[in-house]
Short mmCIF file of all heavy atoms in Angstrom, two decimals:
data_model
loop_
_atom_site.label_atom_id
_atom_site.label_comp_id
_atom_site.label_asym_id
_atom_site.label_seq_id
_atom_site.Cartn_x
_atom_site.Cartn_y
_atom_site.Cartn_z
N VAL H 1 0.83 -1.20 0.00
CA VAL H 1 0.00 0.00 0.00
C VAL H 1 0.87 1.26 0.00
O VAL H 1 2.08 1.22 0.26
CB VAL H 1 -0.93 0.04 1.23
CG1 VAL H 1 -1.82 -1.19 1.27
CG2 VAL H 1 -0.14 0.19 2.52
N ARG H 2 0.24 2.38 -0.30
CA ARG H 2 0.83 3.70 -0.09
C ARG H 2 0.19 4.26 1.17
O ARG H 2 -1.03 4.41 1.24
CB ARG H 2 0.57 4.60 -1.30
CG ARG H 2 1.29 4.13 -2.57
CD ARG H 2 0.91 4.96 -3.79
NE ARG H 2 -0.48 4.76 -4.16
CZ ARG H 2 -1.41 5.72 -4.17
NH1 ARG H 2 -1.08 6.95 -3.82
NH2 ARG H 2 -2.64 5.46 -4.55
N ALA H 3 0.98 4.56 2.17
CA ALA H 3 0.45 4.85 3.50
C ALA H 3 0.82 6.24 3.98
O ALA H 3 1.92 6.74 3.71
CB ALA H 3 0.94 3.80 4.51
N VAL H 4 -0.11 6.83 4.71
CA VAL H 4 0.12 8.08 5.42
C VAL H 4 -0.16 7.82 6.89
O VAL H 4 -1.24 7.33 7.25
CB VAL H 4 -0.79 9.21 4.90
CG1 VAL H 4 -0.65 10.46 5.79
CG2 VAL H 4 -0.48 9.55 3.46
N GLY H 5 0.82 8.14 7.73
CA GLY H 5 0.63 8.01 9.17
C GLY H 5 0.66 9.39 9.80
O GLY H 5 1.51 10.21 9.45
N ILE H 6 -0.27 9.66 10.72
CA ILE H 6 -0.29 10.96 11.38
C ILE H 6 -0.16 10.80 12.89
O ILE H 6 -0.65 9.84 13.48
CB ILE H 6 -1.57 11.76 11.06
CG1 ILE H 6 -2.83 11.03 11.56
CG2 ILE H 6 -1.67 12.06 9.57
CD1 ILE H 6 -4.09 11.87 11.50
N THR H 7 0.55 11.74 13.49
CA THR H 7 0.71 11.81 14.93
C THR H 7 0.87 13.27 15.30
O THR H 7 1.34 14.07 14.48
CB THR H 7 1.93 11.00 15.42
OG1 THR H 7 2.12 11.24 16.83
CG2 THR H 7 3.20 11.41 14.69
N VAL H 8 0.50 13.63 16.53
CA VAL H 8 0.74 15.02 16.98
C VAL H 8 2.02 15.12 17.79
O VAL H 8 2.36 16.19 18.27
CB VAL H 8 -0.46 15.57 17.79
CG1 VAL H 8 -1.71 15.62 16.93
CG2 VAL H 8 -0.70 14.76 19.06
N SER H 9 2.74 14.02 17.93
CA SER H 9 3.99 14.01 18.67
C SER H 9 5.17 14.18 17.72
O SER H 9 5.41 13.33 16.85
CB SER H 9 4.15 12.70 19.45
OG SER H 9 5.46 12.55 19.95
N GLU H 10 5.91 15.26 17.89
CA GLU H 10 7.08 15.50 17.05
C GLU H 10 8.13 14.40 17.23
O GLU H 10 8.76 13.97 16.25
CB GLU H 10 7.70 16.86 17.40
CG GLU H 10 6.82 18.05 17.07
CD GLU H 10 6.93 18.48 15.62
OE1 GLU H 10 7.67 17.82 14.88
OE2 GLU H 10 6.28 19.48 15.25
N ARG H 11 8.31 13.95 18.46
CA ARG H 11 9.33 12.92 18.71
C ARG H 11 8.95 11.60 18.06
O ARG H 11 9.80 10.89 17.53
CB ARG H 11 9.53 12.75 20.21
CG ARG H 11 10.19 13.95 20.89
CD ARG H 11 10.66 13.61 22.28
NE ARG H 11 11.23 14.75 22.97
CZ ARG H 11 11.75 14.72 24.18
NH1 ARG H 11 11.78 13.58 24.85
NH2 ARG H 11 12.24 15.80 24.74
N GLN H 12 7.67 11.24 18.14
CA GLN H 12 7.24 10.03 17.45
C GLN H 12 7.48 10.15 15.95
O GLN H 12 7.99 9.22 15.32
CB GLN H 12 5.74 9.79 17.70
CG GLN H 12 5.42 9.12 19.00
CD GLN H 12 3.96 8.68 19.06
OE1 GLN H 12 3.11 9.26 18.40
NE2 GLN H 12 3.68 7.67 19.85
N ALA H 13 7.09 11.27 15.38
CA ALA H 13 7.24 11.45 13.94
C ALA H 13 8.70 11.37 13.51
O ALA H 13 9.03 10.77 12.47
CB ALA H 13 6.64 12.79 13.52
N GLU H 14 9.57 11.96 14.29
CA GLU H 14 11.01 11.93 13.97
C GLU H 14 11.52 10.50 13.88
O GLU H 14 12.20 10.12 12.90
CB GLU H 14 11.78 12.70 15.04
CG GLU H 14 13.28 12.72 14.84
CD GLU H 14 14.01 13.44 15.96
OE1 GLU H 14 13.34 14.09 16.79
OE2 GLU H 14 15.26 13.34 16.02
N LEU H 15 11.19 9.67 14.87
CA LEU H 15 11.67 8.30 14.85
C LEU H 15 10.92 7.47 13.81
O LEU H 15 11.51 6.60 13.16
CB LEU H 15 11.51 7.67 16.25
CG LEU H 15 11.99 6.22 16.39
CD1 LEU H 15 13.43 6.05 15.91
CD2 LEU H 15 11.85 5.74 17.84
N ALA H 16 9.63 7.72 13.62
CA ALA H 16 8.87 6.99 12.61
C ALA H 16 9.47 7.22 11.22
O ALA H 16 9.62 6.27 10.43
CB ALA H 16 7.41 7.41 12.64
N ARG H 17 9.83 8.46 10.90
CA ARG H 17 10.43 8.74 9.59
C ARG H 17 11.77 8.03 9.44
O ARG H 17 12.10 7.51 8.37
CB ARG H 17 10.60 10.24 9.43
CG ARG H 17 9.29 10.99 9.25
CD ARG H 17 9.48 12.48 9.37
NE ARG H 17 8.22 13.20 9.24
CZ ARG H 17 7.92 14.32 9.89
NH1 ARG H 17 8.82 14.88 10.70
NH2 ARG H 17 6.75 14.90 9.71
N GLU H 18 12.54 8.02 10.52
CA GLU H 18 13.83 7.31 10.48
C GLU H 18 13.62 5.83 10.21
O GLU H 18 14.34 5.23 9.40
CB GLU H 18 14.54 7.53 11.81
CG GLU H 18 15.87 6.80 11.94
CD GLU H 18 16.48 6.96 13.33
OE1 GLU H 18 16.36 8.07 13.91
OE2 GLU H 18 17.05 5.97 13.84
N ARG H 19 12.64 5.23 10.86
CA ARG H 19 12.38 3.79 10.67
C ARG H 19 11.87 3.51 9.25
O ARG H 19 12.19 2.47 8.67
CB ARG H 19 11.37 3.30 11.71
CG ARG H 19 11.86 3.43 13.14
CD ARG H 19 10.79 2.99 14.13
NE ARG H 19 10.64 1.55 14.14
CZ ARG H 19 9.49 0.92 14.29
NH1 ARG H 19 8.36 1.60 14.41
NH2 ARG H 19 9.44 -0.41 14.32
N VAL H 20 11.08 4.42 8.71
CA VAL H 20 10.59 4.26 7.34
C VAL H 20 11.76 4.32 6.36
O VAL H 20 11.87 3.50 5.43
CB VAL H 20 9.54 5.35 7.01
CG1 VAL H 20 9.27 5.41 5.51
CG2 VAL H 20 8.24 5.08 7.77
N ARG H 21 12.67 5.28 6.57
CA ARG H 21 13.85 5.38 5.68
C ARG H 21 14.71 4.14 5.79
O ARG H 21 15.18 3.60 4.78
CB ARG H 21 14.66 6.62 6.04
CG ARG H 21 14.00 7.94 5.66
CD ARG H 21 15.00 9.09 5.74
NE ARG H 21 15.51 9.26 7.11
CZ ARG H 21 14.97 10.05 8.01
NH1 ARG H 21 13.87 10.76 7.73
NH2 ARG H 21 15.51 10.17 9.22
N ASP H 22 14.92 3.66 7.01
CA ASP H 22 15.76 2.48 7.21
C ASP H 22 15.18 1.25 6.52
O ASP H 22 15.93 0.35 6.11
CB ASP H 22 15.93 2.20 8.71
CG ASP H 22 16.80 3.24 9.40
OD1 ASP H 22 17.48 4.02 8.70
OD2 ASP H 22 16.80 3.27 10.66
N ALA H 23 13.86 1.21 6.42
CA ALA H 23 13.21 0.07 5.77
C ALA H 23 13.14 0.24 4.25
O ALA H 23 12.62 -0.64 3.55
CB ALA H 23 11.80 -0.12 6.34
N GLY H 24 13.64 1.36 3.73
CA GLY H 24 13.60 1.60 2.29
C GLY H 24 12.21 1.87 1.76
O GLY H 24 11.91 1.56 0.60
N LEU H 25 11.35 2.48 2.57
CA LEU H 25 9.96 2.67 2.21
C LEU H 25 9.56 4.14 2.08
O LEU H 25 8.38 4.48 2.05
CB LEU H 25 9.04 2.00 3.25
CG LEU H 25 9.18 0.49 3.38
CD1 LEU H 25 8.44 0.00 4.62
CD2 LEU H 25 8.64 -0.20 2.13
#
């Protein structure tokens, strides 16, 4: 799928983006 994830936590978003990049996604 093509996914959009939303959160109001800046710290969560920062790590989530890092994990997405690490997974090549």
